[in-house]
Amino acid sequence: TSTELAENTGDNYASRLCPLGFAVFSVDYRWTPFGKDEMLDVSGAYDYLASRSDIDKTKIVVMGGSHGGYMATMAVSAPEYKRPFIAAVNLYGFLDIEKLVKSDVNKTNPQIKITLDALGDPAENKDSYQAISPVALMKNISTPLLVVVGSEDPFTEELEDFSKQLQNEGKDVDLQIVEGAKHGFEFQQEPYTTSLWNYVREFLEKRVLQK
């Protein structure tokens, strides 16, 4: 279930990040069209953490894998949801919802069906899809961003092009491509998992802990 996945992901992140001095808050976001009300849960999580006296609100990071990586990038690129995160981490998260919808020809992803039902055909509603796609919102990104993706991931080219364009514009973006890794290697896929978390640790130590 969604709740079990959030708990397992939270446990994994906590085991990696708590020893570095981070608190980990795992968001069990709602099922909505991509980039819509689900993003209110990310903003709400920031607001909740920032209100707590035991959390340094100047050092809150947003991160996730796959769909979570997409949401982490949306959180620092979509104006209506932005919060002052100190850094963002996208682990192999897609960035172009129009492209994602078109690639899933059988509509096997239930969230794609939800998005299509709400927004309609991308060809007829391009603006609606651009509003939920970080590739169309990158001009708004000012937060340091780490992107980690495997060389065998279907989103590698998309993430590489996105990162390099931001780098060319002088944005603080760290792109790491793990040779041989496929999609979803933050769990038990050695040696790729160790590489991923090493990149995350190095990024957070430099962009957050040393600030």
Side-chain angles (χ1 to χ4, degrees), residues 84-135:
F85 290 104
I86 189 173
V89 178
N90 178 337
L91 306 178
Y92 43 80
F94 45 83
L95 301 169
D96 187 336
I97 301 303
E98 178 179 354
K99 182 178 178 182
L100 181 71
V101 166
K102 290 179 177 177
S103 69
D104 189 4
V105 293
N106 296 317
K107 307 299 179 284
T108 55
N109 182 328
Q111 194 145 5
I112 285 180
K113 186 179 186 305
I114 293 171
T115 302
L116 283 168
D117 288 346
L119 303 182
D121 188 337
E124 299 173 2
N125 298 281
K126 197 169 188 67
D127 289 348
S128 296
Y129 282 84
Q130 287 186 335
I132 58 172
S133 297
V135 291

Side-chain angles (χ1 to χ4, degrees), residues 1 6 24 30 39 46 53 58 66-67 71 73 86 88 117 121 149 151-152 163 171 174 180 184 193 203 208:
T1 67
V24 172
R30 74 192 86 177
M39 293 305 304
Y46 176 91
S53 61
T58 69
S66 194
H67 186 177
M71 294 174 73
T73 311
I86 189 173
D117 288 346
D121 188 337
V149 64
S151 63
E152 307 307 306
S163 300
K171 303 295 181 71
D174 184 356
T193 299
F203 175 81
V208 181

